[in-house]
Amino acid sequence: MRTGYAGIFAVVLLLCGCTFHTGRAVPENAQFCDNLADRVQSLEQLHLTTTTAPPAEETACVQYDPTYAMWFPVMDYAETLQGKDAESFRAEMRRRFQQAADMGINTVYLHVRAYWDAYYASTLFPVGEYAGETLDFDPLEIMLEEAHELGLSAHAWINPMRGQTDEGMQQMGTQFPVKQWYEDTEKRGTYLVKSGVLWWLNPAYPEVRRLIADGVREIVAQYPVDGIHLDDYFYPTADAAFDAAAFGASGESDLTQFRLAQTNAMVQQIYQTVKSVNPALQVSISPQGTMHGNYESQFSDVRRWAAEAGYCDVLIPQVYFGFENEVAPFAETTAMWAETVTCPAVSLVVGIGTHKMGREDTWAGSGSQEWLEHSDIPARQVELILSMAQVHGVAIYDYATTFQPETAVEAMQQQVEEIQELLRR
């Protein structure tokens, strides 16, 4: 139970996120919208559904084309946030953002909800594990302030469906919708479904999609984020038992098509929710790097998202493969994505990973030793991406493996310098 933290944040909801940092240095390729407006809303407004949203109003935000992005995942909070006071957290995030900016990064994806938890002021989800029970400051507010001071575009990154373990659910306060569903014998196993050790939201129910959308609204209505970023944790399994009740009640005959439709409905509602608050905010999605993985494992209809407006503004496939990967070689996979994204309203940014540097790539087949034998793969990938007219940038996963690598330390330091040269050309 973390009621003290929740109580503090109930006040913070009305106070934080209402000031965007104007007056900072603005790079030439930043695209702005006008009419800065106060984002503060009442707690009652946070529960509005997309059908009763207030009129959309554009507020100041910054996007970049090309986008040079970096992910800052939730695991980092064990080092940066856990047990820290506000000034220590601020100083550490400033240092990290500065490192990224010095390399040429202009956009950061900040993990703020990974497991039905919140690293921001929320009435819908409990506070995140790494925040502790006595935290008296708002992590997202501080991260946005520091990122914006450096001219970075800062996006709130969430996993819309992935939840917590039984232990986490049992400790969760009863004021949260997911806990209420967990204790409801009809909704536990339907609205919430256990896969592995985690509980997941099932998007086949309108009430579930509404909660996910309201959770997004809670962020964009209160904070000066520049966008919402969705990770690839959609359906956790292909097991038909996951949503057997909903599928049976639907009368549909094709489970794959049924699940694709539910994911589409969820993503579309998230998109509409964001745009109803501020049309200038960017919605980005980072799907799996292979097409079969999206359709056969996570039921993400990425071809539709890439070809039709209304689902996302940017697709960032996780092409975390080497050039010699036997199943999904980097160059060919990147070219496939460039051919897939055909909607003029959707930009393609290619995600690469530095986390494989100096390690065996177990699933790469004959290319399993590539990351051990070659120390220049990330820079070569960036160079290829920047040479492709259809691609609007690169995103790097992640901060820690780029600037605090556990393997290939000297090689990665050299890669940072080479990537810096490429991004600053």
Side-chain angles (χ1 to χ4, degrees):
M1 297 289 291
R2 293 163 176 157
T3 53
Y5 182 76
I8 291 169
F9 266 11
V11 177
V12 174
L13 272 172
L14 298 179
L15 301 177
C16 69
C18 59
T19 302
F20 193 87
H21 291 271
T22 56
R24 63 184 185 271
V26 180
E28 293 181 356
N29 61 340
Q31 299 174 350
F32 280 90
C33 49
D34 299 321
N35 302 323
L36 179 62
D38 189 352
R39 288 172 182 256
V40 174
Q41 296 184 345
S42 69
L43 294 178
E44 288 76 17
Q45 284 178 295
L46 290 176
H47 295 86
L48 292 172
T49 65
T50 55
T51 57
T52 59
E57 184 176 6
E58 291 197 6
T59 56
C61 58
V62 59
Q63 314 294 350
Y64 289 94
D65 187 8
T67 295
Y68 302 143
M70 179 166 281
W71 280 283
F72 287 74
V74 68
M75 300 85 72
D76 291 358
Y77 295 142
E79 179 180 348
T80 62
L81 178 62
Q82 194 168 36
K84 303 296 193 299
D85 60 23
E87 288 310 308
S88 297
F89 178 67
R90 182 183 295 277
E92 182 59 25
M93 294 313 301
R94 182 187 304 126
R95 184 183 71 83
R96 292 178 178 227
F97 291 154
Q98 186 68 65
Q99 281 182 294
D102 288 346
M103 191 174 76
I105 296 299
N106 58 30
T107 301
V108 291
Y109 302 124
L110 309 174
H111 217 170
V112 298
R113 189 167 78 244
Y115 300 98
W116 301 346
D117 54 1
Y119 290 90
Y120 55 93
S122 177
T123 61
L124 299 177
F125 298 96
V127 63
E129 175 185 359
Y130 297 118
E133 297 185 8
T134 59
L135 194 69
D136 59 356
F137 61 90
D138 185 328
L140 179 55
E141 181 181 34
I142 288 176
M143 288 190 288
L144 291 174
E145 288 174 355
E146 294 303 322
H148 287 154
E149 286 291 344
L150 292 173
L152 297 170
S153 182
H155 301 236
W157 164 17
I158 70 168
N159 300 114
M161 292 170 58
R162 185 176 65 180
Q164 299 194 10
T165 63
D166 276 306
E167 181 182 5
M169 294 306 298
Q170 290 159 10
Q171 294 176 355
M172 188 181 297
T174 57
Q175 71 270 35
F176 300 111
V178 289
K179 178 57 176 283
Q180 295 165 15
W181 293 346
Y182 181 78
E183 294 183 337
D184 187 321
T185 56
E186 293 185 0
K187 294 175 180 176
R188 177 172 170 162
T190 53
Y191 284 26
L192 309 181
V193 184
K194 193 174 185 180
S195 179
V197 300
L198 296 178
W199 287 87
W200 295 70
L201 287 170
N202 181 356
Y205 298 94
E207 295 88 347
V208 173
R209 297 195 297 270
R210 185 176 303 118
L211 173 63
I212 293 170
D214 283 348
V216 169
R217 180 185 303 282
E218 191 176 50
I219 297 171
V220 297
Q222 298 302 313
Y223 294 89
V225 296
D226 298 302
I228 288 291
H229 179 67
L230 308 180
D231 204 349
D232 66 331
Y233 287 98
F234 296 107
Y235 279 88
T237 179
D239 188 345
F242 181 86
D243 50 357
F247 180 58
S250 72
E252 300 291 334
S253 58
D254 188 319
L255 180 59
T256 295
Q257 292 304 314
F258 172 78
R259 288 182 173 179
L260 291 174
Q262 308 319 308
T263 309
N264 283 340
M266 177 186 67
V267 169
Q268 192 171 48
Q269 190 165 353
I270 291 172
Y271 185 87
Q272 292 170 350
T273 297
V274 172
K275 300 299 182 177
S276 74
V277 174
N278 181 4
L281 293 175
Q282 186 183 91
V283 177
S284 58
I285 305 176
S286 181
Q288 279 200 22
T290 63
M291 199 62 70
H292 67 83
N294 285 295
Y295 281 90
E296 297 172 14
S297 301
Q298 297 186 324
F299 304 94
S300 305
D301 198 358
V302 291
R303 292 191 182 96
R304 171 165 290 186
W305 305 344
E308 298 179 19
Y311 295 96
C312 66
D313 302 304
V314 183
L315 271 178
I316 313 174
Q318 299 170 20
V319 191
Y320 300 158
F321 315 120
F323 290 95
E324 300 172 13
N325 187 294
E326 188 174 338
V327 178
F330 181 82
E332 289 83 346
T333 304
T334 301
M336 179 272 293
W337 280 104
E339 294 173 356
T340 299
V341 179
T342 58
C343 177
V346 180
S347 297
L348 172 64
V349 172
V350 176
I352 68 170
T354 55
H355 56 286
K356 292 184 178 180
M357 283 284 289
R359 301 179 186 274
E360 180 181 5
D361 194 357
T362 308
W363 304 103
S366 59
S368 63
Q369 302 302 301
E370 181 182 6
W371 295 86
L372 290 166
E373 296 172 351
H374 301 280
S375 60
D376 61 347
I377 297 174
R380 286 165 52 204
Q381 292 180 337
V382 171
E383 187 170 25
L384 175 61
I385 291 167
L386 298 185
S387 73
M388 301 177 68
Q390 311 98 310
V391 181
H392 289 254
V394 60
I396 300 173
Y397 186 88
D398 61 352
Y399 169 84
T401 58
T402 300
F403 293 106
Q404 299 175 339
E406 295 180 355
T407 57
V409 175
E410 292 183 4
M412 195 61 238
Q413 290 173 346
Q414 179 65 32
Q415 287 297 280
V416 168
E417 294 177 7
E418 293 184 15
I419 292 172
Q420 180 183 37
E421 293 180 6
L422 291 167
L423 298 185
R424 292 189 173 280
R425 282 181 181 175

